[in-house]
């Protein structure tokens, strides 16, 4: 049994038991979970192993890359600019980024970017990992890209391109990279340990991800699975010619190699859809500050939260295998597929299982991070068990 550390407020003891159960059932290697209720931290737990190669334990200050949970942080940046009147989400993207208006993209709005309706879920052509992590090559490629569908006619998950698209709009308005803007305007005022572009000084605290793809499945096997039944199954969903494969490993398949996600180069770059590095308590703190004050700081007003969580999409997500995953302005919303919390709850999940979530009606906010990746793109039983225990605690 892994050593579990941290604390829970009176009445939340069952959350600790649920956290321990995830480990006892072999569902975790290392993980952390935090929850806020009415602006106060009521759960802060961590445990297990941060790095299976070195045996390093998961400590109180351990941080980890959280994939698309990063999108929630990027959405907060855009919504804060909208709240301040500096960004009109209904305006064409080209209002802020003139070079974007090429090849059928002049009418794409910022809201289309935030709600995955722009038709730019991947980038055609080839690109090296170094180019993909350098910002400008991707921005130039997106400027020249043709939409894969009529913008606004459907929605499909912009798994990596979301961050560059929204991030460039933020950069054009704020005059700072999205990672810098996020740190200075959102994370630092809250004392949140959350980075989009991790300084080298923080590298020693990072836990190592354990891929959901078996080590026996090489990158090449995603394109040519041969007779291997596991490779065939994975290639069906993540092959280089599938919508999800192209979206996840965009641009041009440059980020297909799983080793890149544990690299210093990845963590140092700004990939604002996918490479945030943080801990559970910071994720929970950010979402708590979206629905109320936390130590006198609030990120989004109640009115902006209402705008941000107005459902902008309907029907199946054409990239996420036609699943019922719906979006507001950058946030995932409650749906049949994401039946987490109350009807006004919102947040974002990350590949492998991480998540940040808030429920304004219950006045609850959550953050969950881990290093054992699972196949879920919209949460998995580990986080659902923990969140359900929190709701039971306030029932």
């Amino acid at each position: 049994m892994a050593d579990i550390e941290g604390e829970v407020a009176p009445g939340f003891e069952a959350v600790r038991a649920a956290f321990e159960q995830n480990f006892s059932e072999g569902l975790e290697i290392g993980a952390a979970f935090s929850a806020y209720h009415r602006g106060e931290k009521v759960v802060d737990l961590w445990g297990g192993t941060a790095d299976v190669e070195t045996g390093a334990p998961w400590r109180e200050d351990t941080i980890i890359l959280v994939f698309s949970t990063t999108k929630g942080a990027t959405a907060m940046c855009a919504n804060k600019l909208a709240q301040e009147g500096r960004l009109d989400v209904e305006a064409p993207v080209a209002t802020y980024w003139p070079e974007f208006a090429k090849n059928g993209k002049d009418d794409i709005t910022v809201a289309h970017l935030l709600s995955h309706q722009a038709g730019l879920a991947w980038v055609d052509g080839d690109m090296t990992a170094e180019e993909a992590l350098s910002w400008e090559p991707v921005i130039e490629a997106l400027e020249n890209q043709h939409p894969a569908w009529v913008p606004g006619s459907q929605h499909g998950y912009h798994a990596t391109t979301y961050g560059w698209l929204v991030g460039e709009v933020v950069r054009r308005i704020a005059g700072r990279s999205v990672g810098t803007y996020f740190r200075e305007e959102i994370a630092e005022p809250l004392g949140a340990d959350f980075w989009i572009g991790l300084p080298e000084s923080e590298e020693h605290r990072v836990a190592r991800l354990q891929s959901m793809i078996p080590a026996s499945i090489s990158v090449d096997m995603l394109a040519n699975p041969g007779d291997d039944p596991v490779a065939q199954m994975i290639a069906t969903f993540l092959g280089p010619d599938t919508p999800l494969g192209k979206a996840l490993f965009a641009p041009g398949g440059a980020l297909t190699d799983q080793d890149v996600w544990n690299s210093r180069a990845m963590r140092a770059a700004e990939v604002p859809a996918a490479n945030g590095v943080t801990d559970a308590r910071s994720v929970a703190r950010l979402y708590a500050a979206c629905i109320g004050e936390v130590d006198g700081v609030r990120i989004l007003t109640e009115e902006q939260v209402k705008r941000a969580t107005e459902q902008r999409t309907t029907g199946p997500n054409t990239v996420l295998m036609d699943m019922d995953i719906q979006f507001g302005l950058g946030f995932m919303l409650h749906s049949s597929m994401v039946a987490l919390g109350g009807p006004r709850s919102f947040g974002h999940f990350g590949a492998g299982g991480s998540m940040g979530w808030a429920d304004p009606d219950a006045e609850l906010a959550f953050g969950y991070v881990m290093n054992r990746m699972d196949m879920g793109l919209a949460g998995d039983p580990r986080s659902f068990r923990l969140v359900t225990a929190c709701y039971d605690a306030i029932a």
Side-chain angles (χ1 to χ4, degrees):
M1 180 63 188
D3 290 333
I4 304 301
E5 300 187 63
E7 58 187 5
V8 297
F12 286 82
E13 292 83 3
V15 183
R16 185 185 187 100
F19 190 69
E20 292 173 343
Q21 187 176 355
N22 282 343
F23 280 91
S24 66
E25 292 181 359
L27 302 178
E28 301 284 23
I29 296 172
F33 178 73
S34 185
Y36 274 70
H37 185 226
R38 296 176 178 168
E40 299 292 332
K41 186 170 63 178
V42 291
V43 177
D44 189 15
L45 299 168
W46 62 91
T49 302
D51 189 332
V52 295
E53 294 187 359
T54 66
W58 195 292
R59 304 185 187 279
E60 183 176 6
D61 67 345
T62 295
I63 51 180
I64 192 164
L65 189 141
V66 293
F67 291 96
S68 288
T69 298
T70 313
K71 288 184 177 69
T74 301
M76 291 175 197
C77 294
N79 277 281
K80 189 173 190 300
L81 289 171
Q83 176 177 286
E84 295 168 352
R86 301 170 68 187
L87 170 61
D88 178 0
V89 299
E90 307 301 343
V93 174
T95 304
Y96 309 101
W97 176 6
E99 299 89 341
F100 181 80
K102 300 178 188 176
N103 298 324
K105 301 195 300 298
D106 48 312
D107 292 331
I108 294 176
T109 67
V110 177
H112 285 147
L113 303 186
L114 285 162
S115 57
H116 302 262
Q117 297 185 80
L120 300 169
W122 53 80
V123 177
D124 296 323
D126 296 323
M127 189 174 291
T128 66
E130 183 179 3
E131 289 171 327
L133 299 179
S134 299
W135 195 268
E136 286 300 335
V138 186
I139 298 306
E140 291 177 8
L142 287 166
E143 289 172 355
N144 293 315
Q145 180 76 13
H146 289 266
W149 61 80
V150 176
S153 66
Q154 63 187 55
H155 67 112
Y157 194 47
H158 289 45
T160 53
T161 56
Y162 166 98
W164 290 299
L165 291 165
V166 176
E168 182 66 7
V169 172
V170 171
R171 189 182 75 83
R172 297 284 178 129
I173 295 170
R176 291 168 277 177
S177 74
V178 65
T180 301
Y181 178 84
F182 172 72
R183 279 299 307 167
E184 294 177 350
E185 301 295 332
I186 295 176
E188 287 180 355
L190 277 167
D193 194 4
F194 196 133
W195 310 82
I196 304 173
L198 185 73
E200 190 167 6
S201 61
E202 310 304 317
E203 272 288 322
H204 67 283
R205 302 192 287 125
V206 180
R208 183 174 184 81
L209 292 159
Q210 301 299 308
S211 176
M212 69 188 90
I213 299 176
S216 60
I217 307 300
S218 68
V219 171
D220 291 340
M221 290 175 73
L222 292 178
N224 300 291
D227 296 328
D228 188 304
V230 176
Q232 290 175 349
M233 181 189 69
I234 295 173
T236 299
F237 302 107
L238 299 179
D241 295 325
T242 65
L244 183 55
K246 289 191 290 185
L248 282 173
F249 305 128
L255 305 180
T256 307
D257 188 347
Q258 294 300 290
D259 289 340
V260 73
W261 297 98
N262 275 314
S263 71
R264 169 63 193 150
M266 170 58 75
R267 294 189 288 259
E270 292 190 19
V271 184
N275 84 327
V277 181
T278 186
D279 57 25
R281 73 181 63 85
S282 296
V283 176
R285 190 170 177 84
L286 288 173
Y287 277 97
C290 285
I291 60 172
E293 284 194 2
V294 177
D295 294 335
V297 177
R298 179 158 186 168
I299 299 172
L300 302 178
T301 64
E302 184 175 353
E303 185 60 34
Q304 188 61 39
V305 169
K306 288 180 181 178
R307 295 191 192 102
T309 56
E310 177 185 347
Q311 187 169 323
R312 296 277 180 152
T313 59
T314 57
N317 190 294
T318 57
V319 171
L320 285 177
M321 298 169 286
D322 291 337
M323 291 190 291
D324 179 22
I325 296 180
Q326 307 301 334
F327 287 92
L329 294 176
F331 297 110
M332 287 182 173
L333 306 179
H334 190 278
S335 70
S336 64
M337 185 71 191
V338 188
L340 187 67
R344 294 204 303 143
S345 59
F346 66 96
H348 218 291
F349 294 92
S354 67
M355 57 87 78
W357 204 256
D359 186 335
D361 295 325
E363 298 176 281
L364 278 168
F366 316 99
Y368 167 72
V369 303
M370 74 302 131
N371 57 5
R372 180 191 173 276
M373 297 180 66
D374 211 334
M375 291 299 290
L377 290 168
D380 61 43
R382 296 171 296 180
S383 59
F384 276 69
R385 172 182 282 164
L386 295 165
V387 168
T388 297
C390 288
Y391 278 97
D392 290 345
I394 66 168

